[in-house]
Amino acid sequence: MKKSLFILLSLLIAFTANGQKRAETKLYNAAIENGDMASFRKFLAKYPESVFSPTIQGKIDSLTREANTTRRNVAQATEIFAGFEYDTFLAAPFRKDNVEYIFAVAYTASGQDRALRNIILKENHAGWQQISTFDTPLYTNDDNLDVFRFITDTLRPVEIDNELYFEFIYMNSSDKTDPRTKWKNENVEIIFNLCPALGSTTFYNAMFAGEQTGNGIIEGNCMEAVQPGSGSAPQMDFLLRQMESSKNLVPFSNERTAQKNAISNWYQRNPEGASDLTFIAINENNPIVNLYKESKYSDKSASYSAALVECMQTTLICVYVNETAQYLIVWCEPAVDSKDRSAKYLNTIYFENNGSLVLYYDQDHRMIKERINIPARKKQ
């Protein structure tokens, strides 16, 4: 009886596996035969981990191509559209059903409202006529980023699933500086966009949000939950692939994030001018600890070791507590140029006694001494 049951279960499992394989192969063959986006996406939705999936994804990618629909060039379209009195815009020509058009996207701002205005011009016997215009709100998550600029110089025509779109990229940033930390707002949003040339008003965009770190590199992450090929619309697949291929957009650096979070935490916990201080504990794997160990400006007492550290345009004091084996950020201030004699420059630190740390400043040829009582956590 047990042997018969085992054989029956084995046959059932084999039948189910073969049935799934046949269904998968049948749907794959049907998708290849149909050769359209809907069939390809239907297969991926049902069998995302199939051995056929790379082939199907390749077929989807083949339906996305750069379009060239007109003999007019971008310079001509830009010159024509410039007569419509928009200051910040991109324009490009296209042709459909033997009719010439110009598609343009212009940045507009009125009070707190900021938008992208999409305009279509059509050529007729009287010249160029504006036949369509609609606004889409600026795509942003951070209202403090109030400086807009186009990253791309032109609109790129792209055909996806037999529909013409224009691709472009813009950036939201800020030119403000924090009055206390003296940090420039380095936050930035890079938005990849697809806008249909005619017909649909569906606007596709994907955001990479992060921080500018210099040399054109932006550290951050994609704000869209979906990833290419995982069931999103082909337009979103295209945008996310464009984002992934950009060498200037990289994931957040864990080291830089740890540094900035620790310093920001200190400023948040210590109001300007306060005498009572809140020290910020940091883990030994925080990069600030490595800077502490490498610092040339340090001193020790019986209970503490302290060092001056330069980090992220900030001069900070890191203290090691012998009793607890703990690293603490006890003081932060904006870094200043040592050559600027008018600036209050933290020149060195030293222990006056076991728990009193002297901060020695130079300013306009004057010596200034301030103190931090580490056990009492007070600035004097």
Side-chain angles (χ1 to χ4, degrees), residues 4 20 113 115 134 160 174 241 266 311 353 369:
S4 299
Q20 287 178 335
D113 297 325
F134 66 93
I160 300 177
S174 173
R241 290 182 190 280
W266 188 93
C311 177
N353 55 48
K369 287 185 179 181

Side-chain angles (χ1 to χ4, degrees), residues 48 57 92 94 109 117 122 133 143 169 193 222 260 269 277 319 322 337 348 351:
Q57 186 61 56
F94 70 99
R117 181 161 296 162
K122 178 181 179 181
T133 178
D143 291 335
I169 308 171
N193 306 270
C222 175
K260 186 168 186 178
R269 300 290 297 277
L277 299 178
V319 169
N322 296 341
D337 186 353
T348 192
F351 282 99

Side-chain angles (χ1 to χ4, degrees), residues 103-266:
F103 177 86
V105 57
Y107 171 70
T108 66
S110 176
Q112 297 297 318
D113 297 325
R114 300 188 298 154
L116 289 177
R117 181 161 296 162
N118 305 279
I119 308 108
I120 298 176
L121 308 182
K122 178 181 179 181
E123 188 177 36
N124 55 32
H125 65 279
W128 291 95
Q129 177 187 2
Q130 183 171 298
I131 62 168
S132 174
T133 178
F134 66 93
D135 288 354
T136 56
L138 206 65
Y139 190 24
T140 181
N141 284 333
D142 187 347
D143 291 335
N144 292 316
L145 303 181
D146 54 1
V147 177
F148 169 94
R149 75 179 179 92
F150 287 112
I151 297 295
T152 42
D153 296 329
T154 62
L155 296 167
R156 186 166 78 100
V158 179
E159 192 174 279
I160 300 177
D161 198 16
N162 298 317
E163 185 172 356
L164 180 63
Y165 294 84
F166 283 99
E167 177 201 6
F168 62 97
I169 308 171
Y170 66 84
M171 179 173 81
N172 300 319
S173 61
S174 173
D175 57 5
K176 294 181 174 62
T177 299
D178 186 284
R180 187 176 178 204
T181 65
K182 307 304 180 185
W183 282 350
K184 184 180 182 299
N185 188 342
E186 300 289 357
N187 292 341
V188 66
E189 297 168 341
I190 307 296
I191 294 87
F192 293 71
N193 306 270
L194 276 178
C195 192
L198 281 174
S200 171
T201 58
T202 303
F203 201 101
Y204 296 93
N205 40 38
M207 176 188 293
F208 187 94
E211 296 180 351
Q212 301 178 75
T213 62
N215 300 320
I217 299 298
I218 296 173
E219 290 184 359
N221 55 52
C222 175
M223 301 298 289
E224 319 308 321
V226 68
Q227 291 300 313
S230 63
S232 63
Q235 294 85 352
M236 289 301 299
D237 274 4
F238 173 82
L239 292 178
L240 294 171
R241 290 182 190 280
Q242 294 293 91
M243 183 184 296
E244 286 186 342
S245 67
S246 174
K247 296 180 180 179
N248 293 337
L249 307 180
V250 300
F252 272 119
S253 161
N254 292 333
E255 289 190 359
R256 188 171 185 273
T257 300
Q259 290 174 334
K260 186 168 186 178
N261 287 346
I263 296 171
S264 297
N265 194 12
W266 188 93

Side-chain angles (χ1 to χ4, degrees), residues 26-37:
K26 182 178 179 181
L27 189 60
Y28 168 76
N29 290 333
I32 295 297
E33 183 177 350
N34 292 336
D36 57 33
M37 187 73 74

